[in-house]
Amino acid sequence: MTVSMDRVLSAAEQDDARVRPPLKIEMALGLLLEAYHEQRYVCALDALRDHGDTCWHSSVAELREKGLEFVQRDHPHVHRHGGRALYQDYRLAAGSVEKAEIMLAIYRAGRRGISRADVEDACA
C-alpha cells in the first residue's frame, strides 16, 4: 500500500463516529493477507476462530469471483472424539496479494465514507 493511501485511511480513522463495523469479506481479506505475510495457510477453523466465519469456502469463492487466486491444499483434522474431517487450506497466490491489499483498502475506506475513486487514486 502506498504512503498516500495510508494518509487517506489515517485521516478517516480520526473521525470514528462514521465508522461502521467491518464486512465479512473485509475480515476475510485481512486474515488472508496476514496469513500470506506470515507464510501460512488459512482453513475454516482459522476463519471461525478469527471472525466467526462459519462458511469460509463461500468467502473464498466470493473472493475468487472478484479475481483473486489461491494456492489450496488438503488439511486433515482430527476432532476431539477421534473422528477425521478434511478441510481445505487457502493462501493467496503471490500474484493476488497487491489486488487483495487494494480491495481491503477500498472496503476499509468505504466504511469511513471515503470514495472508491479516492482510494484508487491514492493507490495508483
Side-chain angles (χ1 to χ4, degrees):
M1 201 169 356
T2 65
V3 173
S4 57
M5 185 62 230
D6 290 339
R7 285 188 191 130
V8 168
L9 290 175
S10 178
E13 287 170 353
Q14 293 174 6
D15 184 14
D16 284 341
R18 296 187 331 205
V19 177
R20 296 184 311 258
L23 299 169
K24 176 180 151 182
I25 199 75
E26 181 182 341
M27 292 184 288
L29 282 166
L31 178 61
L32 285 163
L33 285 164
E34 177 184 305
Y36 178 84
H37 293 299
E38 293 175 356
Q39 299 180 336
R40 63 181 173 84
Y41 287 76
V42 177
C43 76
L45 297 174
D46 299 319
L48 178 63
R49 187 175 28 256
D50 181 73
H51 58 274
D53 190 342
T54 58
C55 214
W56 178 239
H57 62 281
S58 295
S59 298
V60 171
E62 183 177 347
L63 289 168
R64 275 195 173 121
E65 288 174 7
K66 294 178 182 295
L68 296 184
E69 295 179 359
F70 295 89
V71 177
Q72 191 172 331
R73 68 179 187 188
D74 291 340
H75 176 99
H77 174 74
V78 178
H79 62 66
R80 65 180 161 212
H81 300 292
R84 297 185 183 273
L86 188 63
Y87 290 95
Q88 291 296 306
D89 277 348
Y90 298 93
R91 183 173 180 200
L92 284 169
S96 290
V97 173
E98 184 177 353
K99 183 173 185 170
E101 288 173 340
I102 292 169
M103 287 172 61
L104 181 57
I106 289 169
Y107 282 117
R108 286 181 174 167
R111 287 189 298 114
R112 293 172 170 84
I114 300 170
S115 75
R116 179 184 180 128
D118 288 341
V119 173
E120 289 172 343
D121 287 345
C123 289

